[in-house]
Amino acid sequence: MNRYHTLLFDLDDTLLDFGKAEQTALRKVLSHFGIEATPELFQRYSKINRAHWEMLERNELSKNEVLSYRHERFFESLGKEVDGATVDQFYRNAVAEHGHHLFDGALEVVEELSRTCRLFIITNGVKETQQKRLHRSGLRPYFSEVFISEDVGYQKPMKAFFDHVGARIADFDSSRALIIGDSLTSDIKGGHNSNIDTCWYNPLGKSNPFSFSPHYEIKQLNEIHQILTNRPF
């Protein structure tokens, strides 16, 4: 019998390649403003975007503020003033249309896990965008339910988010649940706050600068099978 039977998967940079989606969408935004896309601009925007989502995780900004301010700060760094909400709609349309690239092997791993476990998505993304990407990627049929912070009313890593998830899943047993995600500050800290075991998807071998630690760390998604069957890596 598997050690865990309920798997809570993060979406971006765990199953879907958000970096690729972000670059595609930003390239379209920059082209709209007549600006040439460069690696330096991709890196600059990614840093600004990540910082704003981390402020949401700390409850310092609302979701709408994150969506708008990230573009305003980015274009300010280019000496331009824009309406953040308008740019964000353009950007998110591009993410929804082109941002469904899966990491290698992700679909196969999810398909196999769905035969023996209950799978759920937990994400802080925008509802409309995330739903479209899930369907276009082919992932949606393998997940019993999708929990998006916009619907839940709380975001990862807040305990209230995971309390809501547990209340919505029939016969939820936190001791038989596992959170799988790439973000230490969102997924792993969320599990720590909620007393749910965690698996850090860390393909680049990053170091952990925080006082809390995941129960497991993997570089490839197919290593989840070894966790479920208690086999050594």
Side-chain angles (χ1 to χ4, degrees):
M1 184 175 70
N2 286 341
R3 180 170 184 175
Y4 302 99
H5 62 62
T6 301
L7 305 183
L8 308 176
F9 274 92
D10 173 52
L11 185 60
D12 283 314
D13 285 331
T14 299
L15 298 173
L16 294 183
D17 187 343
F18 182 73
K20 185 176 291 186
E22 183 179 66
Q23 288 195 12
T24 300
L26 185 60
R27 184 177 287 109
K28 288 182 174 295
V29 169
L30 291 172
S31 176
H32 178 76
F33 286 94
I35 300 171
E36 181 182 358
T38 66
E40 189 278 327
L41 290 183
F42 288 143
Q43 186 176 21
R44 186 188 306 186
Y45 177 78
S46 183
K47 183 177 180 180
I48 291 171
N49 187 36
R50 184 168 57 252
H52 280 71
W53 282 105
E54 288 174 356
M55 283 189 276
L56 175 72
E57 292 170 7
R58 296 191 298 268
N59 214 28
E60 296 172 3
L61 292 177
S62 70
K63 185 204 70 176
N64 286 337
E65 287 173 332
V66 169
L67 299 181
S68 178
Y69 290 176
R70 58 181 177 170
H71 299 293
E72 292 174 3
R73 298 294 90 79
F74 174 67
F75 277 96
E76 280 177 6
S77 76
L78 301 178
K80 290 182 177 291
E81 184 176 337
V82 299
D83 178 74
T86 301
V87 174
D88 184 65
Q89 188 62 56
F90 186 91
Y91 171 87
R92 284 194 290 111
N93 286 343
V95 170
E97 183 177 354
H98 303 286
H100 53 274
H101 300 284
L102 288 153
F103 283 122
D104 288 344
L107 189 61
E108 292 78 9
V109 168
V110 164
E111 181 180 15
E112 186 171 349
L113 290 173
S114 70
R115 298 172 189 167
T116 57
C117 299
R118 299 187 300 172
L119 309 186
F120 300 87
I121 290 289
I122 52 171
T123 176
N124 280 349
V126 179
K127 178 180 178 180
E128 181 182 7
T129 305
Q130 300 298 66
Q131 291 284 16
K132 287 180 180 178
R133 296 171 69 217
L134 269 170
H135 284 283
R136 288 172 176 169
S137 69
L139 287 170
R140 185 61 184 90
Y142 301 106
F143 290 89
S144 301
E145 193 167 352
V146 178
F147 295 100
I148 303 176
S149 58
E150 185 176 349
D151 277 338
V152 173
Y154 304 97
Q155 64 273 354
K156 301 181 296 181
M158 296 175 69
K159 184 177 183 295
F161 178 94
F162 292 95
D163 287 346
H164 174 92
V165 170
R168 285 287 301 271
I169 297 175
D171 301 317
F172 181 76
D173 179 355
S174 61
S175 69
R176 300 288 307 282
L178 181 67
I179 296 169
I180 302 159
D182 72 293
S183 173
L184 287 168
T185 57
S186 176
D187 306 307
I188 308 308
K189 187 176 182 181
H192 178 77
N193 291 343
S194 307
N195 198 31
I196 300 173
D197 285 2
T198 56
C199 174
W200 183 24
Y201 176 54
N202 184 22
L204 300 181
K206 297 177 182 178
S207 60
N208 178 6
F210 301 104
S211 59
F212 55 88
S213 299
H215 295 81
Y216 310 96
E217 181 177 337
I218 60 174
K219 288 191 173 182
Q220 298 180 10
L221 290 172
N222 59 17
E223 293 173 11
I224 297 170
H225 298 299
Q226 294 162 266
I227 294 173
L228 297 182
T229 55
N230 289 307
R231 285 183 289 142
F233 286 48

